[in-house]
Amino acid sequence: MHEYTSTARVWGLSCPGFPEEVSRARRWTRDILRGSPLADDAELIVSELSANAILHTASGLRPGSFHLALAVSPQVVALSVTDEGGTGTAPKAEHQDDHAEHGRGLGMVSAIAHRVVVHNSHSGHTVTAELFIEAGPTGERAC
């Protein structure tokens, strides 16, 4: 393979911090991953991470925004959502009791994804969820 050739493909999307943009982020993810058995999980993850960005960070304050990146390679689908920060705490998975109405989202993402990484910086947070593409019995990839 040529050193500048990659089998990975990467897409990006920037969205204003409005609640209706969560459905746009889901649709965008679904369209890119159309036909992949990972599309439903990826759509759910993007929905949760986008909603968290709007609800829990400065991304939801006008004129805030959040940014998505979707990378697909033969081994992994990686979904990243970057928010504008503005809170005193970083995103983290929490274990809630059975009656809690909030706080389960990142835990759900962690249960679906093979790996979740949170990167914090002075300008915001990036949460990346990775879904590994497993080879089937004939060696064919799931995506």
Side-chain angles (χ1 to χ4, degrees):
M1 176 186 298
H2 188 273
E3 69 180 296
Y4 297 113
T5 304
S6 172
T7 57
R9 299 195 62 196
V10 180
W11 293 263
L13 177 69
S14 293
C15 299
F18 300 118
E20 58 270 18
E21 292 297 313
V22 174
S23 63
R24 178 176 169 219
R26 278 195 315 264
R27 188 172 52 253
W28 177 79
T29 303
R30 187 177 56 245
D31 288 347
I32 291 170
L33 294 175
R34 177 162 286 136
S36 168
L38 300 176
D40 290 341
D41 287 346
E43 183 180 352
L44 181 61
I45 289 168
V46 164
S47 179
E48 183 59 38
L49 297 180
S50 298
N52 283 353
I54 292 170
L55 293 172
H56 302 297
T57 75
S59 293
L61 304 174
R62 293 184 180 98
S65 63
F66 63 99
H67 310 280
L68 293 94
L70 173 57
V72 178
S73 78
Q75 296 81 28
V76 67
V77 171
L79 309 140
S80 297
V81 176
T82 302
D83 63 43
E84 293 184 350
T87 61
T89 60
K92 64 181 178 190
E94 296 179 0
H95 300 286
Q96 301 294 332
D97 67 31
D98 291 341
H99 302 293
E101 294 182 15
H102 301 287
R104 289 191 174 99
L106 201 50
M108 178 184 63
V109 169
S110 295
I112 295 170
H114 291 97
R115 185 166 74 154
V116 176
V117 177
V118 178
H119 177 75
N120 303 306
S121 72
H122 66 280
S123 59
H125 314 101
T126 299
V127 180
T128 301
E130 297 175 349
L131 299 167
F132 299 146
I133 300 168
E134 300 175 24
T138 61
E140 293 180 15
R141 297 284 179 183
C143 187

